[in-house]
Amino acid sequence: AQSVTQLGSHVSVSEGALVLLRCNYSSSVPPYLFWYVQYPNQGLQLLLKYTSAATLVKGINGFEAEFKKSETSFHLTKPSAHMSDAAEYFCAVIFYSSASKIIFGSGTRLSIRP
Amino acid sequence: NAGVTQTPKFRVLKTGQSMTLLCAQDMNHEYMYWYRQDPGMGLRLIHYSVGEGTTAKGEVPDGYNVSRLKKQNFLLGLESAAPSQTSVYFCASSRTGVNQPQHFGDGTRLSIL
């Protein structure tokens, strides 16, 4: 069955430190991949999207993600965390074999320590 | 520019009651979606629509009905609410296919007692 796995339901980093949020998916076919961010009491907002044009995708707010087909991963990174990055982050994948429906990971809550 | 607007923002129901959640988008998007968000489970698709007058089942459709009579509106109905339907409900829209970025509303917090 198709699945999206986000390792770590909660990640805490210090302000200025590297942010790494992990996403793995189960498929041998390169799909569409997304990262969304959700701030408290708000809906999800698109951070970035992979569409096979380039393996390294740059998004908003200094975030980027690298698609690695051999590892079926699409991890999200940011070189230097800011207090305003505290939010919940969701990886989402479209698997072509499932009628092009999008599947969301369970989310990772990012906390930033002063 | 409102984007996607959901009403109401909060609601408390008793078991067995019915209600309708309204979603409106002003971006002329073809596709619209209803999700539920539960702790530790991400978002799960309930129903979606690929255009005015069309609806289709998602991952967790049981206990819900939807209608898309107008392109800008997508209604989610609960005919007989159950405690298991306590959740946060999100509506989203996308310009065309599901591979396009989705724009989300701010959610409706629904509690069933």
Side-chain angles (χ1 to χ4, degrees), chain A residues 44-88:
Chain A
L44 279 68
Q45 303 172 32
L46 182 70
L47 267 181
L48 50 82
K49 172 185 176 183
Y50 168 77
T51 60
S52 77
T55 57
L56 185 62
V57 182
K58 294 188 182 300
I60 62 172
N61 301 336
F63 283 94
E64 60 183 35
E66 185 173 8
F67 171 71
K68 292 187 176 181
K69 181 180 177 181
S70 61
E71 298 178 8
T72 59
S73 70
F74 191 55
H75 301 331
L76 181 71
T77 60
K78 182 174 180 177
S80 177
H82 191 273
M83 296 300 291
S84 61
D85 295 327
E88 187 147 20

Side-chain angles (χ1 to χ4, degrees), chain B residues 13-88:
Chain B
L13 291 178
K14 294 181 179 179
T15 298
Q17 287 185 319
S18 63
M19 78 162 296
T20 300
L21 280 64
L22 172 63
C23 176
Q25 53 96 2
D26 61 2
M27 297 170 284
N28 201 35
H29 284 175
E30 291 294 332
Y31 280 54
M32 296 187 74
Y33 315 82
W34 275 107
Y35 295 92
R36 60 178 289 172
Q37 183 179 32
D38 301 294
M41 299 185 72
L43 275 72
R44 292 181 292 169
L45 183 65
I46 304 172
H47 286 280
Y48 64 102
S49 168
V50 302
E52 180 179 314
T54 74
T55 63
K57 293 180 179 180
E59 181 185 357
V60 287
D62 293 343
Y64 305 94
N65 56 75
V66 289
S67 63
R68 184 106 181 262
L69 299 180
K70 294 183 179 180
K71 185 177 183 179
Q72 64 268 33
N73 296 336
F74 195 30
L75 279 63
L76 177 71
L78 285 73
E79 291 186 347
S80 179
S84 60
Q85 295 177 303
T86 293
S87 187
V88 181

Side-chain angles (χ1 to χ4, degrees), chain A residues 32 36 38 43 49 90 94 100, chain B residues 35 37 40 90 98-99 102 105:
Chain A
Y32 287 103
Y36 284 87
Q38 184 181 30
K49 172 185 176 183
F90 292 92
I94 297 174
S100 296
Chain B
Y35 295 92
Q37 183 179 32
F90 285 98
V98 70
N99 60 336
Q102 295 186 24

Side-chain angles (χ1 to χ4, degrees), chain B residues 86-100:
Chain B
T86 293
S87 187
V88 181
Y89 292 85
F90 285 98
C91 176
S93 69
S94 63
R95 186 169 57 86
T96 54
V98 70
N99 60 336
Q100 296 293 314

